[in-house]
Amino acid sequence: MAPHNRSCLYKVFVPSYTSRVLVEVLRCRGVEGCPLWLRVRAKAPPLHNSTALDCREHAPCQLALDLPFWQHWYYVLVEKHPGVPGTVSFQVTVQLTDCSRPSLARPPFLPSSASMNMPHSFGSVGGLALGDSPPPASPNGTKHPVPISIASPAGERCWPVRPTLRNELDTFSVHFYIFFGPNVSVPPDRPAVFVINLLPVLDSGGVLNLELRLNVSSLCGENVTVFGCLNHEVPLTSSDNTSVTCETESLAGFLLSVNATASLSRLRIPYPQTGSWYLSLRSLCATEHGFEPCTNVTAEVYLRAYLSPCINDCGIYGQCKLLRTNNYLYAACECKAGWNGWGCTDNAEAFSYGFQLLSTLLLCLSNVMFVPPVAIAVRSHYLLEAAVYIFTMFFSTFYHACDQPGIVVFCIMEYDVLQFCDFLGSLMSVWVTVIAMARLQPVVKQVLYLLGAMLLSMALQMDRHGLWNLLGPSLFALGIMAIAWTARTIRRRHCYPPTWKRWAFYLCPGALIAAAAVLLYAFVETEENYFYIHSIWHLLIAGSVGFLLPPRAKPSRRLGPLPRRKGCGYQLCVNEQEELGLVDPAVASINSICTS
């Protein structure tokens, strides 16, 4: 290492079936012994808190990593101590132990120290043995050694990994089938290892589910416990049969166990890491001294592995939804009625049954307030307006009965239909009431009613929860009413409506009640206070309609056609020439008598 260099970075690829990685610094010579730090890290260059070794204090200077991640790059950083002058020469060896052939170790690499300023790569992504393609000889002509025979402990022995078949059903809905399964035989002398491959992006947004069910009849009366250990990137099979924690110093997995007493075990992992997940099953017998290997007992286990969008479809207190953040698609539960958790199973803050029943009754029965406006409209001969109020009362009642988050739910139609009809009825009630207050000609009023129904339906289809869906039609109808009232005031040269009682006892109270309802709906209503604030909204809107609906129109004072007189057998008729305007009406006489 040249004086101007502080460190050298190498990387080595660790293929499958590698049980141990040994990194060693050899032939280290410097001014002050071996003033180097040796750091190793998987998947990324080492940091200050990575596994490190001071070569000054340890001889030989070597780091051993048991159970490394398979199919990943390991980075080796050799760093010089601060303030060390001169050149430091060394060699680095990386030795991989193949657990499928525990008697052989893959040959170490001795990288040249002549060019240490760039990262070096050793190994191959394809997982070939390092001895299959020897690296070039070092500049000093040293030969690389051939495979070395090593006495490997039993814990470094690995077993064949059985693959799984992938069957995609829907988004985040994948089943993993085992060849010659789903019943798995776990022999007493070795573990059964399976691999589950999760694809990037497609599988990371769901829930990985694993289920083990023990066939008790296969135990032959023995006290057998089957342990399952699920690990990411590398299978964990410890040589210590009493170790059932499914973790080591550098690895931690998920532990499952089944026996004759508890024959079913489930594991759920939300948003799992993509890549290879390894499941190791082993059977142990319980004794006075702990767990020991069983003899002549092959346990049979039913194994099921699958991906699902949500846990148990979020239960009855939640709804599973597909969400997107930037380009990342994932599924999540939207919990209701105070329930929380991954699958809406945490009832620490859940609403009680009585509270759910009370909220449902308040939201439904508050619509009875529309009965007085319906009676007033029928009495004043506003039959079309009364039909709209009845429509609103009916669908608002059953929509809120279906919209409840808990178990107090009653739906007579699909939820989307009830919601659309409830929102449309509420907006149409406001629309027809304000248009009726304008006292327009019947033809104009009917055209505005029909036009409002079509436009409001379109607006609700675009955005049902927008505030302007309520304010827009209301302000437009108020503008029409203001123009009509202003025209009447100018034509009559008197304020319209003409009586102060109408203003004092009907219009002003109704306007104040409607304004209070709009303010509550827009600024006060939240998810926490929805059930009683929205009930007050029902009461206020229905009450304002009863005050604002105009009285019945008085009959016109114009003379209509004369009633036909019957009795003497004759009928008095108007002179045809007078009707056509051919004679002067002032001097015209009734000279035409028509027989009946």
PDB file of all heavy atoms in Angstrom, residues 128-159:
ATOM      1  N   LEU A 128     -19.403 -20.575  -9.713  1.00  0.00           N
ATOM      2  CA  LEU A 128     -18.420 -21.612  -9.981  1.00  0.00           C
ATOM      3  C   LEU A 128     -17.416 -21.703  -8.850  1.00  0.00           C
ATOM      4  O   LEU A 128     -17.109 -20.713  -8.186  1.00  0.00           O
ATOM      5  CB  LEU A 128     -17.684 -21.304 -11.292  1.00  0.00           C
ATOM      6  CG  LEU A 128     -18.548 -21.265 -12.560  1.00  0.00           C
ATOM      7  CD1 LEU A 128     -17.717 -20.823 -13.743  1.00  0.00           C
ATOM      8  CD2 LEU A 128     -19.186 -22.617 -12.819  1.00  0.00           C
ATOM      9  N   ALA A 129     -16.914 -22.893  -8.636  1.00  0.00           N
ATOM     10  CA  ALA A 129     -15.880 -23.054  -7.621  1.00  0.00           C
ATOM     11  C   ALA A 129     -14.648 -22.266  -8.025  1.00  0.00           C
ATOM     12  O   ALA A 129     -14.279 -22.197  -9.200  1.00  0.00           O
ATOM     13  CB  ALA A 129     -15.527 -24.529  -7.458  1.00  0.00           C
ATOM     14  N   LEU A 130     -13.993 -21.680  -7.039  1.00  0.00           N
ATOM     15  CA  LEU A 130     -12.847 -20.843  -7.349  1.00  0.00           C
ATOM     16  C   LEU A 130     -11.714 -21.653  -7.952  1.00  0.00           C
ATOM     17  O   LEU A 130     -10.888 -21.125  -8.679  1.00  0.00           O
ATOM     18  CB  LEU A 130     -12.357 -20.130  -6.084  1.00  0.00           C
ATOM     19  CG  LEU A 130     -13.402 -19.254  -5.390  1.00  0.00           C
ATOM     20  CD1 LEU A 130     -12.761 -18.550  -4.213  1.00  0.00           C
ATOM     21  CD2 LEU A 130     -14.003 -18.262  -6.354  1.00  0.00           C
ATOM     22  N   GLY A 131     -11.668 -22.940  -7.654  1.00  0.00           N
ATOM     23  CA  GLY A 131     -10.626 -23.770  -8.228  1.00  0.00           C
ATOM     24  C   GLY A 131     -10.874 -24.137  -9.680  1.00  0.00           C
ATOM     25  O   GLY A 131      -9.984 -24.625 -10.353  1.00  0.00           O
ATOM     26  N   ASP A 132     -12.133 -23.899 -10.163  1.00  0.00           N
ATOM     27  CA  ASP A 132     -12.434 -24.247 -11.549  1.00  0.00           C
ATOM     28  C   ASP A 132     -11.774 -23.308 -12.529  1.00  0.00           C
ATOM     29  O   ASP A 132     -11.521 -23.661 -13.671  1.00  0.00           O
ATOM     30  CB  ASP A 132     -13.951 -24.237 -11.772  1.00  0.00           C
ATOM     31  CG  ASP A 132     -14.628 -25.288 -10.918  1.00  0.00           C
ATOM     32  OD1 ASP A 132     -13.941 -26.246 -10.487  1.00  0.00           O
ATOM     33  OD2 ASP A 132     -15.839 -25.146 -10.693  1.00  0.00           O
ATOM     34  N   SER A 133     -11.566 -22.075 -12.126  1.00  0.00           N
ATOM     35  CA  SER A 133     -10.940 -21.101 -13.011  1.00  0.00           C
ATOM     36  C   SER A 133      -9.865 -20.377 -12.231  1.00  0.00           C
ATOM     37  O   SER A 133     -10.107 -19.326 -11.640  1.00  0.00           O
ATOM     38  CB  SER A 133     -11.999 -20.113 -13.539  1.00  0.00           C
ATOM     39  OG  SER A 133     -11.407 -19.156 -14.369  1.00  0.00           O
ATOM     40  N   PRO A 134      -8.648 -20.920 -12.192  1.00  0.00           N
ATOM     41  CA  PRO A 134      -7.609 -20.324 -11.344  1.00  0.00           C
ATOM     42  C   PRO A 134      -7.248 -18.945 -11.824  1.00  0.00           C
ATOM     43  O   PRO A 134      -7.224 -18.672 -13.017  1.00  0.00           O
ATOM     44  CB  PRO A 134      -6.430 -21.295 -11.505  1.00  0.00           C
ATOM     45  CG  PRO A 134      -7.016 -22.536 -12.088  1.00  0.00           C
ATOM     46  CD  PRO A 134      -8.191 -22.124 -12.885  1.00  0.00           C
ATOM     47  N   PRO A 135      -6.971 -18.030 -10.910  1.00  0.00           N
ATOM     48  CA  PRO A 135      -6.545 -16.702 -11.286  1.00  0.00           C
ATOM     49  C   PRO A 135      -5.117 -16.742 -11.783  1.00  0.00           C
ATOM     50  O   PRO A 135      -4.390 -17.706 -11.588  1.00  0.00           O
ATOM     51  CB  PRO A 135      -6.661 -15.916  -9.976  1.00  0.00           C
ATOM     52  CG  PRO A 135      -6.473 -16.938  -8.915  1.00  0.00           C
ATOM     53  CD  PRO A 135      -7.041 -18.207  -9.449  1.00  0.00           C
ATOM     54  N   PRO A 136      -4.690 -15.698 -12.435  1.00  0.00           N
ATOM     55  CA  PRO A 136      -3.301 -15.680 -12.923  1.00  0.00           C
ATOM     56  C   PRO A 136      -2.314 -15.667 -11.774  1.00  0.00           C
ATOM     57  O   PRO A 136      -2.621 -15.261 -10.654  1.00  0.00           O
ATOM     58  CB  PRO A 136      -3.238 -14.374 -13.732  1.00  0.00           C
ATOM     59  CG  PRO A 136      -4.353 -13.535 -13.198  1.00  0.00           C
ATOM     60  CD  PRO A 136      -5.412 -14.481 -12.774  1.00  0.00           C
ATOM     61  N   ALA A 137      -1.116 -16.120 -12.084  1.00  0.00           N
ATOM     62  CA  ALA A 137      -0.074 -16.181 -11.053  1.00  0.00           C
ATOM     63  C   ALA A 137       0.326 -14.790 -10.629  1.00  0.00           C
ATOM     64  O   ALA A 137       0.236 -13.827 -11.371  1.00  0.00           O
ATOM     65  CB  ALA A 137       1.142 -16.947 -11.581  1.00  0.00           C
ATOM     66  N   SER A 138       0.764 -14.686  -9.401  1.00  0.00           N
ATOM     67  CA  SER A 138       1.210 -13.402  -8.887  1.00  0.00           C
ATOM     68  C   SER A 138       2.532 -13.018  -9.523  1.00  0.00           C
ATOM     69  O   SER A 138       3.239 -13.852 -10.079  1.00  0.00           O
ATOM     70  CB  SER A 138       1.345 -13.477  -7.359  1.00  0.00           C
ATOM     71  OG  SER A 138       2.218 -14.528  -7.026  1.00  0.00           O
ATOM     72  N   PRO A 139       2.887 -11.723  -9.435  1.00  0.00           N
ATOM     73  CA  PRO A 139       4.118 -11.292 -10.113  1.00  0.00           C
ATOM     74  C   PRO A 139       5.365 -12.016  -9.657  1.00  0.00           C
ATOM     75  O   PRO A 139       6.304 -12.159 -10.418  1.00  0.00           O
ATOM     76  CB  PRO A 139       4.176  -9.803  -9.768  1.00  0.00           C
ATOM     77  CG  PRO A 139       2.757  -9.418  -9.496  1.00  0.00           C
ATOM     78  CD  PRO A 139       2.151 -10.612  -8.867  1.00  0.00           C
ATOM     79  N   ASN A 140       5.410 -12.474  -8.415  1.00  0.00           N
ATOM     80  CA  ASN A 140       6.621 -13.137  -7.939  1.00  0.00           C
ATOM     81  C   ASN A 140       6.657 -14.615  -8.305  1.00  0.00           C
ATOM     82  O   ASN A 140       7.518 -15.344  -7.820  1.00  0.00           O
ATOM     83  CB  ASN A 140       6.773 -12.960  -6.422  1.00  0.00           C
ATOM     84  CG  ASN A 140       5.527 -13.468  -5.693  1.00  0.00           C
ATOM     85  OD1 ASN A 140       4.647 -14.062  -6.313  1.00  0.00           O
ATOM     86  ND2 ASN A 140       5.485 -13.223  -4.383  1.00  0.00           N
ATOM     87  N   GLY A 141       5.675 -15.043  -9.111  1.00  0.00           N
ATOM     88  CA  GLY A 141       5.707 -16.417  -9.594  1.00  0.00           C
ATOM     89  C   GLY A 141       5.153 -17.425  -8.626  1.00  0.00           C
ATOM     90  O   GLY A 141       5.278 -18.617  -8.862  1.00  0.00           O
ATOM     91  N   THR A 142       4.534 -17.009  -7.559  1.00  0.00           N
ATOM     92  CA  THR A 142       3.977 -17.943  -6.571  1.00  0.00           C
ATOM     93  C   THR A 142       2.774 -18.655  -7.166  1.00  0.00           C
ATOM     94  O   THR A 142       1.900 -18.032  -7.763  1.00  0.00           O
ATOM     95  CB  THR A 142       3.575 -17.188  -5.299  1.00  0.00           C
ATOM     96  OG1 THR A 142       4.717 -16.474  -4.840  1.00  0.00           O
ATOM     97  CG2 THR A 142       3.083 -18.130  -4.239  1.00  0.00           C
ATOM     98  N   LYS A 143       2.707 -19.939  -6.988  1.00  0.00           N
ATOM     99  CA  LYS A 143       1.574 -20.712  -7.475  1.00  0.00           C
ATOM    100  C   LYS A 143       0.449 -20.671  -6.460  1.00  0.00           C
ATOM    101  O   LYS A 143       0.694 -20.665  -5.249  1.00  0.00           O
ATOM    102  CB  LYS A 143       1.982 -22.178  -7.722  1.00  0.00           C
ATOM    103  CG  LYS A 143       3.097 -22.348  -8.752  1.00  0.00           C
ATOM    104  CD  LYS A 143       2.581 -22.048 -10.149  1.00  0.00           C
ATOM    105  CE  LYS A 143       3.656 -22.348 -11.186  1.00  0.00           C
ATOM    106  NZ  LYS A 143       3.178 -22.105 -12.561  1.00  0.00           N
ATOM    107  N   HIS A 144      -0.792 -20.675  -6.968  1.00  0.00           N
ATOM    108  CA  HIS A 144      -1.949 -20.760  -6.070  1.00  0.00           C
ATOM    109  C   HIS A 144      -2.163 -22.206  -5.669  1.00  0.00           C
ATOM    110  O   HIS A 144      -2.038 -23.117  -6.489  1.00  0.00           O
ATOM    111  CB  HIS A 144      -3.203 -20.224  -6.765  1.00  0.00           C
ATOM    112  CG  HIS A 144      -3.154 -18.743  -6.925  1.00  0.00           C
ATOM    113  ND1 HIS A 144      -3.505 -17.874  -5.930  1.00  0.00           N
ATOM    114  CD2 HIS A 144      -2.771 -17.978  -7.993  1.00  0.00           C
ATOM    115  CE1 HIS A 144      -3.363 -16.630  -6.356  1.00  0.00           C
ATOM    116  NE2 HIS A 144      -2.929 -16.661  -7.597  1.00  0.00           N
ATOM    117  N   PRO A 145      -2.557 -22.415  -4.449  1.00  0.00           N
ATOM    118  CA  PRO A 145      -2.694 -23.791  -3.986  1.00  0.00           C
ATOM    119  C   PRO A 145      -3.912 -24.466  -4.579  1.00  0.00           C
ATOM    120  O   PRO A 145      -4.841 -23.818  -5.020  1.00  0.00           O
ATOM    121  CB  PRO A 145      -2.822 -23.637  -2.467  1.00  0.00           C
ATOM    122  CG  PRO A 145      -3.361 -22.260  -2.275  1.00  0.00           C
ATOM    123  CD  PRO A 145      -2.786 -21.439  -3.372  1.00  0.00           C
ATOM    124  N   VAL A 146      -3.897 -25.775  -4.531  1.00  0.00           N
ATOM    125  CA  VAL A 146      -5.018 -26.592  -4.976  1.00  0.00           C
ATOM    126  C   VAL A 146      -5.982 -26.744  -3.811  1.00  0.00           C
ATOM    127  O   VAL A 146      -5.680 -26.341  -2.696  1.00  0.00           O
ATOM    128  CB  VAL A 146      -4.504 -27.975  -5.454  1.00  0.00           C
ATOM    129  CG1 VAL A 146      -3.612 -27.809  -6.659  1.00  0.00           C
ATOM    130  CG2 VAL A 146      -3.758 -28.679  -4.330  1.00  0.00           C
ATOM    131  N   PRO A 147      -7.199 -27.330  -4.054  1.00  0.00           N
ATOM    132  CA  PRO A 147      -8.136 -27.496  -2.947  1.00  0.00           C
ATOM    133  C   PRO A 147      -7.512 -28.188  -1.749  1.00  0.00           C
ATOM    134  O   PRO A 147      -6.784 -29.169  -1.873  1.00  0.00           O
ATOM    135  CB  PRO A 147      -9.250 -28.342  -3.574  1.00  0.00           C
ATOM    136  CG  PRO A 147      -9.227 -27.943  -5.012  1.00  0.00           C
ATOM    137  CD  PRO A 147      -7.784 -27.705  -5.329  1.00  0.00           C
ATOM    138  N   ILE A 148      -7.832 -27.649  -0.592  1.00  0.00           N
ATOM    139  CA  ILE A 148      -7.226 -28.105   0.656  1.00  0.00           C
ATOM    140  C   ILE A 148      -8.223 -28.972   1.406  1.00  0.00           C
ATOM    141  O   ILE A 148      -9.407 -28.647   1.491  1.00  0.00           O
ATOM    142  CB  ILE A 148      -6.819 -26.902   1.517  1.00  0.00           C
ATOM    143  CG1 ILE A 148      -5.883 -25.990   0.702  1.00  0.00           C
ATOM    144  CG2 ILE A 148      -6.162 -27.328   2.803  1.00  0.00           C
ATOM    145  CD1 ILE A 148      -5.622 -24.671   1.394  1.00  0.00           C
ATOM    146  N   SER A 149      -7.798 -30.043   1.961  1.00  0.00           N
ATOM    147  CA  SER A 149      -8.653 -30.898   2.777  1.00  0.00           C
ATOM    148  C   SER A 149      -8.756 -30.324   4.175  1.00  0.00           C
ATOM    149  O   SER A 149      -7.750 -30.030   4.814  1.00  0.00           O
ATOM    150  CB  SER A 149      -8.074 -32.320   2.832  1.00  0.00           C
ATOM    151  OG  SER A 149      -8.878 -33.121   3.651  1.00  0.00           O
ATOM    152  N   ILE A 150      -9.993 -30.135   4.597  1.00  0.00           N
ATOM    153  CA  ILE A 150     -10.254 -29.521   5.909  1.00  0.00           C
ATOM    154  C   ILE A 150     -11.209 -30.409   6.677  1.00  0.00           C
ATOM    155  O   ILE A 150     -12.180 -30.927   6.128  1.00  0.00           O
ATOM    156  CB  ILE A 150     -10.858 -28.108   5.748  1.00  0.00           C
ATOM    157  CG1 ILE A 150      -9.840 -27.180   5.074  1.00  0.00           C
ATOM    158  CG2 ILE A 150     -11.284 -27.529   7.067  1.00  0.00           C
ATOM    159  CD1 ILE A 150     -10.380 -25.785   4.847  1.00  0.00           C
ATOM    160  N   ALA A 151     -10.953 -30.555   7.937  1.00  0.00           N
ATOM    161  CA  ALA A 151     -11.869 -31.294   8.807  1.00  0.00           C
ATOM    162  C   ALA A 151     -13.001 -30.350   9.199  1.00  0.00           C
ATOM    163  O   ALA A 151     -12.860 -29.529  10.095  1.00  0.00           O
ATOM    164  CB  ALA A 151     -11.132 -31.809  10.035  1.00  0.00           C
ATOM    165  N   SER A 152     -14.103 -30.469   8.518  1.00  0.00           N
ATOM    166  CA  SER A 152     -15.224 -29.558   8.744  1.00  0.00           C
ATOM    167  C   SER A 152     -16.135 -30.126   9.808  1.00  0.00           C
ATOM    168  O   SER A 152     -16.455 -31.312   9.799  1.00  0.00           O
ATOM    169  CB  SER A 152     -15.998 -29.354   7.437  1.00  0.00           C
ATOM    170  OG  SER A 152     -17.129 -28.575   7.657  1.00  0.00           O
ATOM    171  N   PRO A 153     -16.597 -29.320  10.733  1.00  0.00           N
ATOM    172  CA  PRO A 153     -17.538 -29.806  11.730  1.00  0.00           C
ATOM    173  C   PRO A 153     -18.870 -30.130  11.102  1.00  0.00           C
ATOM    174  O   PRO A 153     -19.188 -29.704   9.997  1.00  0.00           O
ATOM    175  CB  PRO A 153     -17.647 -28.621  12.713  1.00  0.00           C
ATOM    176  CG  PRO A 153     -17.229 -27.427  11.928  1.00  0.00           C
ATOM    177  CD  PRO A 153     -16.223 -27.904  10.956  1.00  0.00           C
ATOM    178  N   ALA A 154     -19.658 -30.871  11.846  1.00  0.00           N
ATOM    179  CA  ALA A 154     -20.953 -31.325  11.311  1.00  0.00           C
ATOM    180  C   ALA A 154     -21.891 -30.170  11.056  1.00  0.00           C
ATOM    181  O   ALA A 154     -22.786 -30.255  10.228  1.00  0.00           O
ATOM    182  CB  ALA A 154     -21.596 -32.324  12.279  1.00  0.00           C
ATOM    183  N   GLY A 155     -21.717 -29.065  11.787  1.00  0.00           N
ATOM    184  CA  GLY A 155     -22.626 -27.938  11.614  1.00  0.00           C
ATOM    185  C   GLY A 155     -22.476 -27.267  10.281  1.00  0.00           C
ATOM    186  O   GLY A 155     -23.343 -26.548   9.832  1.00  0.00           O
ATOM    187  N   GLU A 156     -21.328 -27.458   9.581  1.00  0.00           N
ATOM    188  CA  GLU A 156     -21.121 -26.838   8.285  1.00  0.00           C
ATOM    189  C   GLU A 156     -21.643 -27.711   7.160  1.00  0.00           C
ATOM    190  O   GLU A 156     -21.497 -27.363   5.996  1.00  0.00           O
ATOM    191  CB  GLU A 156     -19.640 -26.522   8.093  1.00  0.00           C
ATOM    192  CG  GLU A 156     -19.108 -25.492   9.074  1.00  0.00           C
ATOM    193  CD  GLU A 156     -17.651 -25.197   8.847  1.00  0.00           C
ATOM    194  OE1 GLU A 156     -17.055 -25.886   7.988  1.00  0.00           O
ATOM    195  OE2 GLU A 156     -17.109 -24.305   9.505  1.00  0.00           O
ATOM    196  N   ARG A 157     -22.198 -28.830   7.513  1.00  0.00           N
ATOM    197  CA  ARG A 157     -22.766 -29.715   6.494  1.00  0.00           C
ATOM    198  C   ARG A 157     -24.121 -29.161   6.060  1.00  0.00           C
ATOM    199  O   ARG A 157     -24.946 -28.807   6.883  1.00  0.00           O
ATOM    200  CB  ARG A 157     -22.934 -31.129   7.067  1.00  0.00           C
ATOM    201  CG  ARG A 157     -23.552 -32.116   6.111  1.00  0.00           C
ATOM    202  CD  ARG A 157     -22.569 -32.498   5.041  1.00  0.00           C
ATOM    203  NE  ARG A 157     -23.142 -33.435   4.094  1.00  0.00           N
ATOM    204  CZ  ARG A 157     -23.120 -34.765   4.254  1.00  0.00           C
ATOM    205  NH1 ARG A 157     -22.579 -35.281   5.332  1.00  0.00           N
ATOM    206  NH2 ARG A 157     -23.646 -35.543   3.343  1.00  0.00           N
ATOM    207  N   CYS A 158     -24.358 -29.034   4.753  1.00  0.00           N
ATOM    208  CA  CYS A 158     -25.650 -28.558   4.278  1.00  0.00           C
ATOM    209  C   CYS A 158     -26.323 -29.669   3.491  1.00  0.00           C
ATOM    210  O   CYS A 158     -25.666 -30.597   3.010  1.00  0.00           O
ATOM    211  CB  CYS A 158     -25.513 -27.297   3.437  1.00  0.00           C
ATOM    212  SG  CYS A 158     -24.424 -27.481   2.012  1.00  0.00           S
ATOM    213  N   TRP A 159     -27.622 -29.536   3.326  1.00  0.00           N
ATOM    214  CA  TRP A 159     -28.423 -30.586   2.735  1.00  0.00           C
ATOM    215  C   TRP A 159     -29.094 -30.059   1.470  1.00  0.00           C
ATOM    216  O   TRP A 159     -29.191 -28.856   1.268  1.00  0.00           O
ATOM    217  CB  TRP A 159     -29.459 -31.084   3.744  1.00  0.00           C
ATOM    218  CG  TRP A 159     -28.841 -31.492   5.035  1.00  0.00           C
ATOM    219  CD1 TRP A 159     -28.762 -30.741   6.166  1.00  0.00           C
ATOM    220  CD2 TRP A 159     -28.197 -32.712   5.321  1.00  0.00           C
ATOM    221  NE1 TRP A 159     -28.105 -31.423   7.154  1.00  0.00           N
ATOM    222  CE2 TRP A 159     -27.740 -32.661   6.661  1.00  0.00           C
ATOM    223  CE3 TRP A 159     -27.936 -33.882   4.580  1.00  0.00           C
ATOM    224  CZ2 TRP A 159     -27.060 -33.694   7.263  1.00  0.00           C
ATOM    225  CZ3 TRP A 159     -27.265 -34.920   5.195  1.00  0.00           C
ATOM    226  CH2 TRP A 159     -26.828 -34.830   6.517  1.00  0.00           C
TER     227      TRP A 159
END
